[in-house]
Amino acid sequence: MNAHILVVDDDQEIRDLLDEYLTKSGYQVSTVKDGVELKAQLQHAYPDLILLDVMLPGDDGFTLCQQIRRDSDVPIIMLTAVSDDTDQIIGLEIGADDYIAKPFSPRHLIARIKAVLRRSQKNHQRTEDVLVNAVPKSIVFGDWRLDTLAHKLTHLDNQQQHDLSGSDFTLLMLFLSRPNEVLDRDTISVATRGREALPFERGIDVQLSRLRQRLGDSGKYPSYIKTMRGNGYILSVPVNYEH
């Protein structure tokens, strides 16, 4: 089945043009004008990719991107009329997969869509391959147990639980599969985003900070993920796999 693309833009002319061009390119297309219609659409089903305009009435694209990322790893390409590196960095930090400044050529847009969809499919395939290859049902590391099927963390002492988003689970599994090994930014970015890290990109730092806060620390394990300056990051606690 052809990939389903959801276009979110408050400009009727742009929605119509994108609908026409993407449909001719073989995609299934839906269009909405704002965050209210977007949320209503997502209650029924998630598309394969979202083209999300930054400047929208009500909640802007950045806010909507953050909200979507709480529940889903659906690929998101941000669209903006402002060619500003700061906006691009913000978009990538909050979980967007790519960023295109208006005006853009249709061919350029299609190329970016294909690249993002290809990366997304590869990431899903890697996850399926890992599951097929007998991933342990749970992994104990430090004070935590990870349920690899439910994507749930449970603290061994106080039984505190956390549900992990897809991106946070992928990041944690990367460290758990390679404990006591220094992982550089490109390795982390390829595993979680399907591409090497961009210059000055802080999205990895944001995601690592979120995971570190989730894991916390204790007297026995004062630091789960250590920063190795100039080299990368390392998971520095004992890891045991339970099949």
Side-chain angles (χ1 to χ4, degrees):
M1 193 170 93
N2 294 337
H4 177 205
I5 298 178
L6 177 59
V7 177
V8 188
D9 199 301
D10 62 329
D11 188 316
Q12 178 71 51
E13 183 177 355
I14 291 177
R15 291 201 305 273
D16 290 344
L17 287 171
L18 287 174
D19 188 356
E20 179 182 1
Y21 190 80
L22 292 172
T23 300
K24 286 181 178 178
S25 298
Y27 296 105
Q28 178 188 348
V29 183
S30 301
T31 66
V32 296
K33 68 177 185 296
D34 56 24
V36 174
E37 292 187 355
L38 168 65
K39 293 171 187 176
Q41 181 87 8
L42 296 182
Q43 286 181 351
H44 298 289
Y46 275 84
D48 296 298
L49 183 143
I50 298 175
L51 289 178
L52 180 59
D53 189 32
V54 171
M55 301 300 292
L56 293 169
D59 289 339
D60 65 17
F62 293 139
T63 301
L64 293 171
C65 181
Q66 287 178 302
Q67 293 172 353
I68 293 169
R69 277 292 170 261
R70 292 171 191 162
D71 304 309
S72 173
D73 286 323
V74 58
I76 297 174
I77 297 179
M78 306 290 292
L79 305 176
T80 181
V82 181
S83 181
D84 188 335
D85 287 344
T86 301
D87 275 359
Q88 181 176 0
I89 292 170
I90 292 173
L92 294 171
E93 281 182 351
I94 60 178
D97 295 88
D98 207 344
Y99 189 101
I100 301 178
K102 299 176 183 176
F104 47 80
S105 73
R107 286 185 178 181
H108 181 61
L109 176 63
I110 291 296
R112 301 284 275 273
I113 287 173
K114 287 181 177 178
V116 170
L117 286 173
R118 192 160 52 242
R119 289 199 302 263
S120 175
Q121 290 165 359
K122 286 182 179 178
N123 286 341
H124 285 303
Q125 186 61 52
R126 279 197 295 267
T127 300
E128 292 174 1
D129 290 345
V130 168
L131 291 175
V132 168
N133 291 323
V135 167
K137 292 181 179 179
S138 63
I139 303 174
V140 174
F141 63 104
D143 293 319
W144 294 94
R145 172 179 281 108
L146 172 66
D147 183 329
T148 60
L149 296 179
H151 293 196
K152 187 185 294 291
L153 274 175
T154 303
H155 196 277
L156 297 177
D157 291 334
N158 59 28
Q159 298 303 303
Q160 180 183 10
Q161 292 189 331
H162 299 293
D163 292 315
L164 296 178
S165 68
S167 58
D168 286 348
F169 175 76
T170 300
L171 177 61
L172 180 56
M173 282 296 292
L174 174 64
F175 280 106
L176 291 175
S177 66
R178 300 166 70 171
N180 298 308
E181 180 179 340
V182 178
L183 305 178
D184 62 26
R185 296 172 65 83
D186 281 339
T187 299
I188 294 172
S189 187
V190 168
T192 58
R193 292 169 167 78
R195 57 169 172 77
E196 292 185 351
L198 300 175
F200 310 112
E201 181 177 1
R202 291 195 58 248
I204 293 172
D205 302 303
V206 173
Q207 192 176 3
L208 280 166
S209 176
R210 185 169 63 236
L211 183 59
R212 281 168 160 165
Q213 290 177 1
R214 185 68 57 86
L215 297 175
D217 54 40
S218 66
K220 188 175 181 181
Y221 304 110
S223 179
Y224 280 78
I225 300 174
K226 293 182 179 180
T227 301
M228 311 299 288
R229 290 195 178 278
N231 293 310
Y233 307 88
I234 184 171
L235 181 71
S236 58
V237 297
V239 177
N240 294 296
Y241 306 102
E242 300 179 342
H243 293 276

